[in-house]
Amino acid sequence: MTGFLAIFLAVMMGHTAHAEVSMATQVFGIKDLIEKLPNHHFQTCNLVLSTNRANFTTAESRCQQLPARVAMDRQRGTLATINSKEANDDLTMLLNIALPLKEQSKFKYAGNRWAWTGLRKVRNTDTKHIQKINKRIPYNRSDWEWYDKSIPENFESWNRGQPDQRPLKPGKKSNEYKKSGRCQEENDCRQNQMRINHDGKWDDAFGFEEHPYACDYKGKYLVSGLEKTWTEAKEACEAIGLNLATVRSQREVEELRRALLYFLGESGFEECKGQFGHHGKQPVNKRGKVIKKKKVCASATMEERWDVEHWAWTGGNDNSNEGEYVWTDGSKVLFEGFPWIAKAGNDNKAKGREAGQNSLTLSKWGEFDDSYKDMHKPFACECPRG
């Protein structure tokens, strides 16, 4: 069982999830949901793997920025804490989905065959290196720490003979790391950071090496780039014990919007909130004053603004009672200042379609529209945050 799935089972009693779902179905479901993410970031409800290679320091900095960029959290993020077999399995799964091993270089230390995590050696970092494995100073796990200051006490997955703490002289390249840069330290560079491979095995590595990296994720939404109908999207979320996304405040609108941009990519219309959907009329503010349209918004064609790549399904719908929108858990949708796109509400009836735009979709610029549920769009599930 992966850690991602274990979390669901632990919170299932307090979370509105669905019926018993077989473990095989759940595993297949999460792989299916995230394999088509186009923006180099792959997620579970607990981890984000970025395939944009970076050295350890840069990876650390990008993870620190992740909560503000995606989850609207002011706390600094961290490189991933992999302190259990479940978490190790989750990250291994992400690495194999994002960067299939068969597509990577056969060289075992190639950049894309590893991903940075948050485990670092913080004590005895200058221990003398001994070439022969059986004569090395015994590994001391208390020398290594995750970001919360815990040590790898209950779980570790080092490769045989690792960590070996091999040094590298200042300004030198080793034969194994020719493409990764040089040692920039005043003293010897040491392999004081941990990386993980497709088999879930750990290795200590030089910080100047460039690899994909994994961050801890505490956001509310799991985004899928697969284009499905509303019903299919609902079933896909339920297959892994989740619901389609609920959005209960302006803050959550912004969080979901940021998640769509981060995992699916920008639309180019991020500044167009309030400027679409007026059917040829000039948009006005609350006082009735005409708002001058920004150039990129004014020049957008109907096909461009309604392109399914700019929208994602949420769980909002009025399937039972026309005009009474509820989330999939039955709670009411609308809140004060709910950001409808102009003229939304069973408008723009299309030829050949049954009347009724009953399913809510959110744009990358932060406005909702009611749409025909048989259209295919990306979607977002809601992570359990107990």
Side-chain angles (χ1 to χ4, degrees), residues 108-176:
K108 68 178 181 178
Y109 293 111
N112 280 354
R113 292 175 67 110
W114 300 87
W116 289 123
T117 74
L119 187 63
R120 301 145 300 145
K121 190 174 186 183
V122 296
R123 285 176 284 276
N124 300 315
T125 56
D126 58 352
T127 301
K128 183 179 178 181
H129 174 71
I130 300 174
Q131 191 72 27
K132 290 187 177 181
I133 294 177
N134 61 356
K135 291 190 176 182
R136 287 179 190 160
I137 297 173
Y139 159 66
N140 186 350
R141 61 175 57 89
S142 65
D143 288 343
W144 294 77
E145 282 186 358
W146 300 105
Y147 281 92
D148 63 1
K149 304 297 183 182
S150 64
I151 64 174
E153 186 172 16
N154 298 318
F155 176 79
E156 53 193 11
S157 186
W158 293 106
N159 251 330
R160 181 180 179 273
Q162 304 301 325
D164 63 358
Q165 290 287 273
R166 189 167 66 79
L168 191 62
K169 296 293 183 182
K172 297 292 185 181
K173 292 183 179 182
S174 73
N175 291 331
E176 291 176 357

Side-chain angles (χ1 to χ4, degrees), residues 3 40 95 108 116 118 151 168 200 237 241 247 251 264 280 285 300 345 375:
H40 307 292
L95 194 54
K108 68 178 181 178
W116 289 123
I151 64 174
L168 191 62
C237 292
V247 185
R251 179 184 176 85
L264 299 180
N285 61 21
M375 297 184 71

Side-chain angles (χ1 to χ4, degrees), residues 88-112:
N88 208 67
D89 288 347
D90 277 0
L91 181 48
T92 303
M93 177 188 72
L94 283 179
L95 194 54
N96 279 282
I97 291 172
L99 297 164
L101 186 57
K102 64 182 180 181
E103 298 177 10
Q104 309 311 317
S105 166
K106 295 188 181 299
F107 177 50
K108 68 178 181 178
Y109 293 111
N112 280 354

Side-chain angles (χ1 to χ4, degrees), residues 14-289:
H15 177 68
T16 306
H18 296 267
E20 261 184 50
V21 180
S22 73
M23 196 58 60
T25 300
Q26 290 183 2
V27 172
F28 178 80
I30 183 60
K31 289 182 177 180
D32 182 50
L33 255 63
I34 65 174
E35 66 180 354
K36 297 296 184 182
L37 290 172
N39 206 33
H40 307 292
H41 307 296
F42 296 78
Q43 65 171 144
T44 68
C45 278
N46 303 306
L47 294 170
V48 172
L49 174 70
S50 174
T51 59
N52 295 316
R53 286 164 56 174
N55 61 42
F56 186 86
T57 301
T58 300
E60 185 176 42
S61 175
R62 290 175 181 172
C63 286
Q64 289 173 349
Q65 298 167 19
L66 180 65
R69 291 187 63 185
V70 183
M72 296 187 68
D73 188 338
R74 293 182 180 180
Q75 293 186 348
R76 297 206 311 179
T78 63
L79 280 163
T81 298
I82 310 299
N83 56 3
S84 68
K85 184 179 186 304
E86 290 77 18
N88 208 67
D89 288 347
D90 277 0
L91 181 48
T92 303
M93 177 188 72
L94 283 179
L95 194 54
N96 279 282
I97 291 172
L99 297 164
L101 186 57
K102 64 182 180 181
E103 298 177 10
Q104 309 311 317
S105 166
K106 295 188 181 299
F107 177 50
K108 68 178 181 178
Y109 293 111
N112 280 354
R113 292 175 67 110
W114 300 87
W116 289 123
T117 74
L119 187 63
R120 301 145 300 145
K121 190 174 186 183
V122 296
R123 285 176 284 276
N124 300 315
T125 56
D126 58 352
T127 301
K128 183 179 178 181
H129 174 71
I130 300 174
Q131 191 72 27
K132 290 187 177 181
I133 294 177
N134 61 356
K135 291 190 176 182
R136 287 179 190 160
I137 297 173
Y139 159 66
N140 186 350
R141 61 175 57 89
S142 65
D143 288 343
W144 294 77
E145 282 186 358
W146 300 105
Y147 281 92
D148 63 1
K149 304 297 183 182
S150 64
I151 64 174
E153 186 172 16
N154 298 318
F155 176 79
E156 53 193 11
S157 186
W158 293 106
N159 251 330
R160 181 180 179 273
Q162 304 301 325
D164 63 358
Q165 290 287 273
R166 189 167 66 79
L168 191 62
K169 296 293 183 182
K172 297 292 185 181
K173 292 183 179 182
S174 73
N175 291 331
E176 291 176 357
Y177 307 105
K178 284 182 178 179
K179 296 181 180 180
S180 299
R182 296 178 183 273
C183 174
Q184 301 293 332
E185 303 294 330
E186 291 183 5
N187 300 311
D188 290 353
C189 285
R190 290 290 182 139
Q191 296 173 311
N192 290 332
Q193 297 80 26
M194 188 272 276
R195 59 187 178 183
I196 185 173
N197 68 12
H198 288 74
D199 296 321
K201 291 299 183 182
W202 301 359
D203 181 41
D204 57 341
F206 296 115
F208 61 74
E209 296 176 62
E210 295 185 347
H211 298 298
Y213 55 93
C215 309
D216 285 328
Y217 179 62
K218 297 180 175 63
K220 183 176 180 180
Y221 301 107
L222 178 70
V223 176
S224 177
L226 293 175
E227 294 179 3
K228 293 180 178 289
T229 67
W230 185 86
T231 301
E232 291 170 344
K234 178 175 177 289
E235 292 171 349
C237 292
E238 292 173 357
I240 54 172
L242 300 180
N243 290 313
L244 267 173
T246 61
V247 185
R248 304 185 190 280
S249 66
Q250 292 285 6
R251 179 184 176 85
E252 291 187 356
V253 171
E254 181 61 15
E255 179 171 348
L256 179 51
R257 187 186 77 86
R258 292 187 187 193
L260 297 180
L261 293 175
Y262 189 79
F263 292 108
L264 299 180
E266 296 182 354
S267 67
F269 302 128
E270 284 71 41
E271 298 181 359
C272 294
K273 184 175 181 179
Q275 302 204 18
F276 287 155
H278 297 273
H279 303 291
K281 298 180 180 180
Q282 289 281 7
V284 296
N285 61 21
K286 291 181 180 180
R287 297 180 180 180
K289 185 177 179 180

